[in-house]
Amino acid sequence: MNLSKSKYTRFCQCPKMLWLDTYRPELAVQAPALQRRFQEGNEVGDLAMGLLGDFVETTAYTAEGKLDIAAMLKNTQKYIAEGKENICEAAFTKNGCYCAVDILHKTEGGYEIYEVKSSTDIHDVYLWDVAYQRWVLEQSGLKIVHTYIVYINNKYVRQGDIDVHKLFAVKDVSEEILPYYDEVAANTARAKEYIAQKDEPESKLGEQCFAPYECAYWQYCARELPSPNVLDLYRISAKKAFGYIEEGIVTFDDAIKSGISLNTTQWRQVEFELLQLPTHIDRLGIKRFLDTLWYPLYFLDFETFQTCIPMYDGIRPYQQVPFQYSLHYLERDGAKLEHKEFLADENSDPRRAIAERLVADIPTEACVLAYNMSFECTRLKELAETFPDLAEKLLAIRANVRDLLDVFRNGYVYDRAMEGSFSIKKVLPALFPNNPNLDYHNLADVHNGGEATDTYLALRSMEREERDKLRQSLLAYCKLDTMAMVMLWQRLREFCHI
Ligand code: SF4
C-alpha cells in the first residue's frame, strides 16, 4: 500500500512534494498552526459521523496506538456484507492505492461518498480528493452513484448542543469531480513512479508552492533564490511574482532594469534596498497624525481565538472571540505610564467578562490607539451587538479608536529593515534594533498571536501549576504588544522633537 488520498492530493499539488515526503521528510518546516488544524479536522470528522443517522465506524488501532489499516479494511468488508447503511472511515485498497471514506452511505443502486471538510468553502483540492476516492472504490468493485462534500456553514450560530444538520452544509459534487476523475488513473500511475524513483526530481518553483496549501519544503526548494527577490515585493501576488521569475526577473535590481510596473510602496521598498537609504521620516505627516490623538491616551490590543465548532452559545464557526486584552495608558502629557490587563477564565465564554472589564477600564472620552484598528473595532462592535446593555459604552470606545498603523502605511516612516511590510513585528525591530526588551523571541512560551490562541485553548486541560505559568506567559505577550505601541508612539514624538 503506497498511495493514500493525502499523498495523492499532495502529488497533484506538486509531484516533488510527494517525493520529498517519501525520501526527505526531515526537510519539511511545518506551519505552527498545522497541529491545531489537524486536531480540529478530527473533531469535525467525529461530529459529522452522525449526519446521516445511525452509523458504524471501522477505525481500529494497533497495540502501539497506530491506525490498524488491515483491521479497518476487514471491518469495512464485514459491514458492507451486513448491509450497514452508514459506514464511517470505510477503508479500501486496490493496486497500491488506499483510501478511507469519511462516510460511505448505502443507497438505491449503489453507494454515496461523503467527504467531510472543516472549511467554510469548497476548494478544487477537495474535488481531487473525492475523485480519487471514487476511483479507488470503483476499482474495488463498488458502484458509486453520488459524491458529496460536507463543509461548514459559517452562518450557523450555536444555541445549546451542536446541531449537526445546521452546522454542516452538503454539496453534491458528482458532476464537478468528473474532469478530475478522468485523470486519476494516469495520476496514480505517475505518482507511483515518483515514489519508486530514488533520484531527487527536478521541479520549478511556482504558484503550486503556496496553493492550495503552503508547501512545507519551501525553504529547501527556494534555498538558491537570492534575497530579497520579487516574491518579497509588498503584496505582490504569487502569480505575478512567479511570472517575473519565469522571465528571469528575480532580484530587485532585475525589477528596476526590466522596467516592470511597481506601485508606490513597492518602488519605495526597492529604492531603499538598492540604494541602502537611511530611515525616511516625514515629520509633517507624523505631526499631523499625532495631532489627531488626545489624552487620556490608551493603547489597546486584543487576543482572540477562533474554532471551527463554536464553543459557546451565540458564536458562529470561526468567529473571532476575544479572551484577553492589554492596556497601557497615560492620563495626560508627561504622566506616568500605567498598565491594565485582562485574561478571561479559560473554562467559560469570555465575552461578557471582557466586555464588562473593557467599559470599566477605558473611559468613554479616552483616545484609544490600536495597531491595525479594524481588528479591535470589529471586536468592539461584535461585543456591543452581543451585549446591548453595554453597547453605548463599547461603541463610544470604538468611535475613539485611532490607528498607529496609518503612520507606516502612509509612508511617514520607512526603514528598509521593514522589508516593505507594515506589520508591527517588522516595524518594531526596524525602529528599535537590538532592544532585548522589545524582542518577542525573548518571551517565554508565547511569542505570537497563534501561540496565544493555542495556549489559551489548551489551559483548560492543564494542571494548576502549568496553567498558572502559561497564564503569566499570555499576559507578558499581550503586554509587549501594547508596550510596542507605546514605544513606537514615543519614537514618533521624538522624530517631531515633542
Ligand atoms: S516548495 Fe514548491 S517545488 Fe518544492 S516541493 Fe513544495 S511545491 Fe514543490
Side-chain angles (χ1 to χ4, degrees):
M1 201 182 300
N2 48 22
L3 205 60
S4 63
K5 61 181 180 180
S6 65
K7 283 183 179 178
Y8 176 78
T9 52
R10 288 172 72 73
F11 172 81
C12 291
Q13 180 170 345
C14 173
K16 186 167 180 175
M17 206 193 286
L18 178 62
W19 190 91
L20 289 167
D21 282 344
T22 311
Y23 295 101
R24 307 287 310 274
E26 74 283 0
L27 296 173
V29 181
Q30 299 296 356
L34 197 70
Q35 183 59 31
R36 179 155 45 95
R37 284 213 304 269
F38 186 69
Q39 193 182 327
E40 199 155 59
N42 285 342
E43 288 168 14
V44 168
D46 288 349
L47 204 55
M49 284 185 184
L51 193 63
L52 305 177
D54 289 345
F55 64 91
V56 288
E57 190 189 346
T58 74
T59 311
Y61 294 95
T62 63
E64 296 78 41
K66 291 187 176 160
L67 271 185
D68 188 340
I69 304 289
M72 289 173 69
L73 292 166
K74 206 168 141 199
N75 290 343
T76 302
Q77 290 309 313
K78 174 174 160 283
Y79 293 142
I80 286 177
E82 289 171 359
K84 298 289 188 205
E85 198 178 339
N86 296 305
I87 307 173
C88 296
E89 297 299 322
F92 296 87
T93 183
K94 192 73 183 174
N95 300 332
C97 296
Y98 166 81
C99 74
V101 176
D102 288 335
I103 309 173
L104 181 68
H105 179 66
K106 190 170 189 281
T107 188
E108 208 174 309
Y111 285 88
E112 295 173 339
I113 290 172
Y114 287 78
E115 170 65 16
V116 180
K117 297 293 180 194
S118 50
S119 157
T120 55
D121 297 307
I122 292 184
H123 305 284
D124 282 359
V125 62
Y126 303 164
L127 304 177
W128 305 348
D129 182 343
V130 177
Y132 171 81
Q133 293 180 51
R134 180 182 153 189
W135 186 82
V136 174
L137 268 61
E138 289 186 342
Q139 294 292 305
S140 306
L142 257 67
K143 182 164 184 223
I144 304 303
V145 292
H146 279 107
T147 49
Y148 298 92
I149 290 176
V150 178
Y151 61 109
I152 299 294
N153 166 21
N154 61 3
K155 303 275 184 313
Y156 170 67
V157 179
R158 179 170 186 165
Q159 290 300 338
D161 290 341
I162 293 286
D163 182 339
V164 287
H165 298 286
K166 291 184 180 160
L167 172 66
F168 292 111
V170 180
K171 182 167 186 216
D172 184 344
V173 292
S174 307
E175 293 292 319
E176 278 175 74
I177 66 161
L178 290 178
Y180 303 91
Y181 177 80
D182 291 342
E183 293 175 1
V184 177
N187 280 345
T188 52
R190 278 182 57 227
K192 283 187 217 166
E193 281 169 24
Y194 255 83
I195 293 177
Q197 148 184 348
K198 293 280 181 281
D199 295 332
E200 182 170 334
E202 290 292 318
S203 185
K204 255 199 269 178
L205 299 174
E207 285 179 78
Q208 83 283 359
C209 301
F210 297 102
Y213 301 114
E214 199 172 320
C215 179
Y217 297 109
W218 172 253
Q219 285 185 16
Y220 171 68
C221 291
R223 65 194 178 282
E224 283 171 13
L225 262 188
S227 178
N229 59 64
V230 289
L231 280 159
D232 299 314
L233 286 171
Y234 178 69
R235 289 200 170 170
I236 192 165
S237 70
K239 186 173 182 196
K240 213 171 191 180
F242 283 116
Y244 290 146
I245 291 174
E246 188 72 29
E247 293 171 35
I249 304 163
V250 180
T251 63
F252 283 4
D253 202 32
D254 297 336
I256 294 293
K257 285 182 182 149
S258 64
I260 62 170
S261 128
L262 299 171
N263 64 33
T264 315
T265 313
Q266 292 168 338
W267 256 112
R268 186 174 55 212
Q269 183 187 357
V270 170
E271 186 189 15
F272 273 67
E273 183 59 38
L274 290 180
L275 301 177
Q276 298 282 295
L277 295 177
T279 310
H280 164 74
I281 302 164
D282 171 356
R283 288 192 171 77
L284 206 62
I286 298 170
K287 182 73 171 53
R288 270 204 310 271
F289 172 79
L290 291 174
D291 285 347
T292 65
L293 313 180
W294 68 91
Y295 294 97
L297 180 58
Y298 280 61
F299 300 80
L300 170 67
D301 184 68
F302 282 129
E303 298 305 326
T304 61
F305 68 78
Q306 290 177 283
T307 54
C308 175
I309 303 167
M311 287 173 67
Y312 304 108
D313 285 356
I315 294 179
R316 283 175 283 104
Y318 295 113
Q319 181 173 329
Q320 298 271 9
V321 179
F323 62 86
Q324 176 179 12
Y325 65 78
S326 170
L327 268 180
H328 275 95
Y329 63 99
L330 292 153
E331 289 297 347
R332 60 184 183 286
D333 194 7
K336 181 169 168 276
L337 182 68
E338 309 272 3
H339 182 249
K340 289 180 182 175
E341 59 195 352
F342 175 81
L343 174 56
D345 178 273
E346 61 277 3
N347 292 308
S348 57
D349 185 347
R351 292 174 300 163
R352 179 75 201 184
I354 204 169
E356 285 180 357
R357 277 290 297 274
L358 271 170
V359 298
D361 281 351
I362 305 180
T364 48
E365 75 280 7
C367 175
V368 180
L369 208 46
Y371 202 94
N372 196 9
M373 65 186 254
S374 63
F375 187 79
E376 270 67 27
C377 285
T378 308
R379 302 296 78 80
L380 288 164
K381 181 166 169 273
E382 287 165 349
L383 289 173
E385 285 164 359
T386 309
F387 304 112
D389 58 319
L390 302 176
E392 195 180 329
K393 284 186 175 172
L394 287 165
L395 292 176
I397 293 169
R398 180 176 180 266
N400 288 339
V401 178
R402 300 292 180 269
D403 202 341
L404 189 54
L405 173 68
D406 283 347
V407 173
F408 304 95
R409 190 164 38 200
N410 292 340
Y412 301 154
V413 178
Y414 185 76
D415 186 283
R416 65 195 154 84
M418 286 155 60
E419 297 174 341
S421 166
F422 309 127
S423 148
I424 198 163
K425 303 286 191 295
K426 284 280 188 188
V427 169
L428 190 66
L431 295 191
F432 295 91
N434 309 318
N435 184 333
N437 295 327
L438 295 177
D439 189 340
Y440 285 83
H441 297 99
N442 293 336
L443 291 170
D445 309 307
V446 182
H447 310 90
N448 55 54
E451 286 180 8
T453 299
D454 290 347
T455 302
Y456 177 74
L457 292 176
L459 289 177
R460 54 176 57 205
S461 57
M462 286 177 191
E463 295 298 327
R464 183 169 178 182
E465 202 176 316
E466 190 187 9
R467 194 184 60 213
D468 291 349
K469 175 178 164 285
L470 286 171
R471 284 182 68 90
Q472 289 308 314
S473 300
L474 279 166
L475 291 170
Y477 167 70
C478 199
K479 187 175 183 181
L480 181 53
D481 271 343
T482 50
M483 193 62 212
M485 279 195 272
V486 173
M487 296 299 285
L488 288 174
W489 170 78
Q490 282 177 344
R491 179 65 36 108
L492 296 179
R493 284 167 50 100
E494 286 162 23
F495 287 154
C496 296
H497 308 295
I498 299 173

